[in-house]
Amino acid sequence: MELIRLSAAETAARIAARDVSAVEVAQAHLDRIDAIDDRVHAFLHVDRDGALDQARRVDEGEISGPLAGVPLALKDVIVARGMPATAGSRILEGWHPPYDATIVERMRAAGIVVLGKTNMDEFAMGSSTEHSAYGPTHNPWDLSRTPGGSGGGSSAAVASYEAPLGIGTDTGGSIRQPAAVTGTVGAKPTYGGVSRYGLIAFSSSLDQAGPCARTVLDAALLHAVIAGHDPRDSTSIDSPVPDVVSAARSAEISGLRIGVVTQFKGDGYQAGVLAKFDEAVATLEKMGAEIVEVSCPHFDYALAAYYLIAPSEASSNLARYDAMRYGLRVGDDGTASAEDVMAVTRDAGFGDEVKRRVILGTYALSAGYYDAYYGQAQKVRTLIAQDFASAFGQADVLVSPTTPTTAFPLGERLDDPLAMYLADLCTIPSNLYGGPALSVPCGLSPDDGLPVGFQVMAPVQADERMYRVAAAVEAALGTDRLLEQAPAL
Ligand code: GLN
């Protein structure tokens, strides 16, 4: 079998057995990127020398472990020494971070080979990767469609066999939604379960890095490498990491109570998506799970609350791009004031979606409107957390389609921000609550032949449960081989 088609677990096993060298594996993926990335555009930067150096260290026996030698595609919102970091924005063009994010440090120590940085919506704001300042990424299933967003680059890289693993970040769905529409697995760990140190901030109370992969087990193996307490992140959880790897190896779900969220169906949901979702639920029931319907009435307000809270935090976080500290500086002719240079730089450096959010967030936080908008949104956030708490009294996990539709055509929603925001209807509640959630493929939609994602949501710190259920879906439906049905690139 071609090296690029192996899972991460198989790749690591073959390297450990010295069947193949880590350098050969890295080279095979670099060759793949050279061959197809002009069409997919998953990568913004490829670090050939850095990747081959790290692979050599694995081959020389300096580093070992369950993922040693496995290549990975890193979303460009995570900083890594030796590589630029743009977060998909012009304003960071030319900036080279002087340090490694905690998760990058951990991945390097585990022998993972970072191939380069992947494309994304600017500052992770978007659901299609079309808001990147560097041009869109294309969905490997159909190059005229988006790979989802904001982390479309990492998911497209994994789906097109440019890398077996990827890192994404999920503020409102940006790991799970791209996973769903590219036929891959994407997991958002419990908020605080994976360090945010070195993650370029969008909305700090929601941002969470996590794994992208082609199999549930691979996602769990990567989760185990990056998770765990970090004193450099004040929101990091200081308790043992849930045993996600054992859970992913066991597809045992008999007796588990699976709650189907009643709010996630109806108008706006593609018929083929609902059909595939229902089939997956029926399969879980046959495997011995108990299916219950649960109602989470405040989920209907999650999108509205999110689009006040996330822009509010973004307006504050993005104030640091002041033309002095990072990257781009425009209009500094020696006579212009610092304020003018800042204004001209921010105008030139930020794209329309980022500006829209900064203005919206500034407005929502302004005196006189704070209570009416931001304050209300925070109350809704509490009600959503209460919905989760009561739902988890009736069910061990909750399930839904990951996205209301399959991959949409490039350009279709670009001029309609609300249509774009609707892609995250089902994913946002878990971010507002802080619990883990994952998307696993559950087949191809009968109406357009494109992948459908099945979302599993679990209580805070019960990440292992979502892996167990996802592994059951994958095993029963054989979706670890779904990508074999993608039209060859
Ligand atoms: N699509 C959502 C947004 O634009 C979520 C983004 C994300 O998770 N980073 O805010």
Side-chain angles (χ1 to χ4, degrees):
M1 200 180 189
E2 254 185 298
L3 287 179
I4 57 168
R5 307 217 174 237
L6 299 173
S7 70
E10 291 160 348
T11 304
R14 292 191 54 179
I15 292 170
R18 305 216 165 255
D19 259 2
V20 64
S21 73
V23 167
E24 284 171 88
V25 169
Q27 193 58 56
H29 288 88
L30 292 169
D31 291 347
R32 174 73 172 169
I33 293 170
D34 287 340
I36 65 161
D37 208 52
D38 56 339
R39 282 176 285 158
V40 179
H41 193 224
F43 283 88
L44 293 178
H45 176 81
V46 179
D47 183 20
R48 289 186 173 72
D49 295 345
L52 292 169
D53 275 354
Q54 169 82 346
R56 227 167 270 129
R57 271 197 288 277
V58 172
D59 286 337
E60 282 161 12
E62 264 181 58
I63 322 172
S64 59
L67 289 178
V70 178
L72 175 135
L74 184 63
K75 189 177 180 182
D76 201 23
V77 74
I78 306 277
V79 305
R81 215 191 297 250
M83 286 179 245
T86 68
S89 183
R90 288 272 170 227
I91 211 154
L92 278 172
E93 206 166 18
W95 182 60
H96 281 255
Y99 68 107
D100 277 342
T102 296
I103 64 169
V104 172
E105 227 169 52
R106 289 183 182 174
M107 292 192 297
R108 292 198 206 272
I112 289 173
V113 174
V114 178
L115 296 173
K117 307 297 285 291
T118 57
N119 200 13
M120 55 182 283
D121 286 297
E122 187 174 5
F123 286 106
M125 298 175 188
S127 307
S128 70
T129 315
E130 292 168 289
H131 295 311
S132 167
Y134 304 97
T137 296
H138 300 261
N139 190 318
W141 286 81
D142 174 350
L143 296 173
S144 72
R145 291 176 188 262
T146 87
S150 62
S154 285
S155 294
V158 169
S160 62
Y161 300 99
E162 291 176 318
L165 294 176
I167 287 285
T169 59
D170 195 309
T171 304
S174 287
I175 294 175
R176 291 163 283 157
Q177 185 255 1
V181 301
T182 57
T184 55
V185 178
K188 180 193 95 69
T190 294
Y191 179 80
V194 171
S195 170
R196 283 185 300 112
Y197 180 77
L199 190 173
I200 297 173
F202 161 15
S203 180
S204 310
S205 76
L206 301 164
D207 296 343
Q208 185 59 72
C212 311
R214 291 190 292 262
T215 72
V216 174
L217 176 61
D218 285 358
L221 288 165
L222 181 55
H223 186 135
V225 167
I226 60 176
H229 183 240
D230 177 14
R232 291 179 293 189
D233 171 0
S234 61
T235 58
S236 167
I237 298 172
D238 190 2
S239 57
V241 178
D243 188 359
V244 295
V245 174
S246 303
R249 288 191 200 278
S250 141
E252 184 49 60
I253 53 152
S254 80
L256 204 75
R257 296 168 307 161
I258 295 183
V260 177
V261 180
T262 46
Q263 276 70 20
F264 292 144
K265 57 177 82 146
D267 275 359
Y269 287 82
Q270 191 176 319
V273 167
L274 291 177
K276 279 293 155 189
F277 172 72
D278 290 344
E279 272 176 48
V281 171
T283 304
L284 289 170
E285 189 167 24
K286 272 197 220 106
M287 294 170 84
E290 183 191 329
I291 309 297
V292 292
E293 282 268 328
V294 296
S295 178
C296 298
H298 299 98
F299 282 17
D300 289 341
Y301 307 101
L303 197 70
Y306 173 87
Y307 277 100
L308 287 166
I309 293 169
S312 294
E313 293 185 18
S315 71
S316 166
N317 273 324
L318 270 57
R320 76 191 61 179
Y321 304 106
D322 58 2
M324 307 296 147
R325 283 180 276 198
Y326 308 91
L328 190 72
R329 180 181 300 173
V330 182
D332 182 9
D333 60 5
T335 63
S337 70
E339 287 78 4
D340 285 344
V341 172
M342 193 191 305
V344 176
T345 301
R346 286 169 69 86
D347 185 31
F350 287 145
D352 288 349
E353 183 63 22
V354 171
K355 287 177 184 158
R356 186 179 294 130
R357 306 242 186 151
V358 168
I359 291 169
L360 196 69
T362 307
Y363 180 77
L365 290 176
S366 59
Y369 293 108
Y370 186 96
D371 288 336
Y373 294 115
Y374 184 73
Q376 280 293 99
Q378 290 292 14
K379 287 180 192 161
V380 172
R381 187 172 187 174
T382 301
L383 292 171
I384 287 166
Q386 288 170 357
D387 277 1
F388 269 108
S390 94
F392 287 131
Q394 303 159 59
D396 300 303
V397 296
L398 305 182
V399 297
S400 76
T402 308
T403 56
T405 70
T406 56
F408 47 90
L410 285 158
E412 187 188 82
R413 303 189 186 182
L414 212 44
D415 298 323
D416 186 351
L418 287 181
M420 189 72 92
Y421 297 170
L422 284 172
D424 298 303
L425 202 58
C426 311
T427 48
I428 280 174
S430 290
N431 298 85
L432 291 171
Y433 157 61
L438 165 158
S439 181
V440 61
C442 63
L444 302 180
S445 172
D447 37 29
D448 56 16
L450 291 168
V452 175
F454 184 88
Q455 179 175 230
V456 188
M457 297 166 270
V460 165
Q461 281 282 75
D463 302 48
E464 76 288 352
R465 273 188 220 171
M466 68 180 183
Y467 281 101
R468 184 180 294 277
V469 175
V473 170
E474 182 184 66
L477 303 176
T479 49
D480 53 332
R481 293 188 314 275
L482 190 73
L483 284 159
E484 289 168 14
Q485 295 178 52
L489 266 162

